[in-house]
Amino acid sequence: MQPPLGPGSQPGAVASGGARSGRTSAPAAASSYDCPSGYFCGWSGESTRGSMWKTNKDVAGLGSWDDKIRSYVNRTSLIACLYDDLNYDSWGGYFPQNPNTPGEYSSSPTATISSIRFVRTERECDRPAYPGWYSEPSPTAAGFGDMNGDRRADVITRDMVGRLWFTPGDDTGRLIGAGGWNAMDTLTRHGDFSGDGREDVVAREKATGKLWLYPGTSTARLGARRLVGSGGWKTMEHLIPVGDFSGDGRPDLATVTNEKYRIYGVEGHPGQLITYRGRAGGTLYGPQRTHSEWWGLSDFC
């Protein structure tokens, strides 16, 4: 094992022998297979030749390895953002390296990497995981569109890895769902289904077709989910948040069927408008087939 590379070393870079240390040069690697699972490895030469360096932590400055990596492999489960400048500065250029399989590597005669950061989505290489969103305060509480009651219209966003983000309208954002939301193929919110004064989220589970209600809270986080539809919702092409069309003071839900919808046991009835009146507690009354000519239309809002 080589000694640490001086005062610029960072925790998280691990010597090839496995001991925790500063960034360390290892003996020449025979191939990219020498990079252990869970690490990003770089070599001083092309085609994984020369000394090898590895890390599984963010590194704001590579020290003596700055602009020295000419081949590399990403064997972590995250995207490795490879920056040409120190401190994850994307203005000088960067490359998002997806996880590699054993044996894969990238190689170039020009070494440009100065800092490395690991993220879950590519956009996080140079911006927050959530989108920028700003809205002016309304003179009065809006009801719809304002989950946390601050009189600003807000947005909920699902990212590519299934996390849910809340952006309250002041150009900030916070995580309200740590993962698993890609299991839902439809998300919609409209009004206070549960009757607690906060907007809720309704989601359809992709695998089962179940419909779930996630009640809103005063902090715009979501409470424990409740089952509001036990099955059959996969026959719906669209879920439409239409407000209170029944006039009873509770938000209702409308849907439009797809080809799988059955009438008298026979499939093949798309374009049927099915309405569900809201009940106290956030559940729904049974379906009512109200119109059969909603076919040939692509979306609704």
Side-chain angles (χ1 to χ4, degrees):
M1 181 190 303
Q2 303 265 350
L5 293 177
S9 61
Q10 302 260 349
V14 179
S16 61
R20 184 168 289 275
S21 178
R23 286 184 297 279
T24 306
S25 296
S31 74
S32 63
Y33 288 94
D34 285 1
C35 184
S37 178
Y39 282 82
F40 175 94
C41 298
W43 288 264
S44 59
E46 296 180 62
S47 303
T48 69
R49 295 188 177 92
S51 298
M52 187 180 79
W53 173 90
K54 62 185 179 184
T55 186
N56 60 0
K57 305 291 184 183
D58 296 348
V59 183
L62 269 60
S64 63
W65 275 85
D66 185 21
D67 290 344
K68 294 295 192 300
I69 295 175
R70 290 179 174 80
S71 54
Y72 57 83
V73 61
N74 178 16
R75 296 208 60 203
T76 74
S77 61
L78 302 173
I79 296 171
C81 308
L82 310 177
Y83 300 91
D84 290 353
D85 291 337
L86 300 172
N87 301 312
Y88 324 122
D89 186 353
S90 62
W91 286 102
Y94 69 92
F95 180 76
Q97 177 59 57
N98 289 319
N100 295 116
T101 57
E104 291 183 336
Y105 65 89
S106 297
S107 183
S108 172
T110 304
T112 62
I113 301 172
S114 294
S115 56
I116 300 173
R117 181 166 61 183
F118 297 98
V119 298
R120 296 191 65 188
T121 61
E122 182 177 331
R123 66 174 284 122
E124 293 172 86
C125 286
D126 73 337
R127 66 197 65 204
Y130 53 85
W133 172 249
Y134 183 83
S135 60
E136 295 290 343
S138 173
T140 58
F144 174 70
D146 180 14
M147 289 193 69
N148 62 348
D150 65 354
R151 297 187 291 111
R152 293 178 184 268
D154 42 51
V155 175
I156 294 176
T157 302
R158 177 174 57 184
D159 69 19
M160 300 297 289
V161 293
R163 296 174 297 182
L164 215 60
W165 297 90
F166 175 71
T167 50
D170 60 359
D171 214 28
T172 67
R174 65 176 180 269
L175 190 68
I176 61 172
W181 287 87
N182 280 343
M184 307 297 173
D185 61 3
T186 299
L187 298 176
T188 187
R189 63 178 253 230
H190 183 75
D192 176 21
F193 284 91
S194 60
D196 61 359
R198 298 295 177 185
E199 274 200 319
D200 308 316
V201 171
V202 174
R204 180 176 62 189
E205 193 170 8
K206 186 188 309 183
T208 64
K210 293 179 178 179
L211 202 67
W212 296 94
L213 173 74
Y214 293 82
T217 68
S218 60
T219 62
R221 299 186 182 278
L222 300 176
R225 70 181 186 176
R226 308 174 196 168
L227 186 66
V228 295
S230 59
W233 291 84
K234 294 172 76 172
T235 64
M236 304 301 166
E237 187 72 18
H238 303 277
L239 302 183
I240 313 171
V242 290
D244 176 24
F245 62 75
S246 61
D248 60 2
R250 300 188 184 99
D252 305 311
L253 187 66
T255 65
V256 178
T257 63
N258 59 30
E259 290 281 353
K260 296 179 181 179
Y261 184 71
R262 293 174 178 266
I263 297 179
Y264 302 120
V266 179
E267 286 189 359
H269 296 277
Q272 303 285 323
L273 178 67
I274 313 296
T275 57
Y276 299 82
R277 289 175 52 213
R279 304 175 66 177
T283 57
L284 299 169
Y285 286 105
Q288 293 182 315
R289 194 167 71 247
T290 59
H291 208 289
S292 62
E293 297 183 2
W294 283 58
W295 55 271
L297 305 169
S298 64
D299 215 339
F300 310 92
C301 64

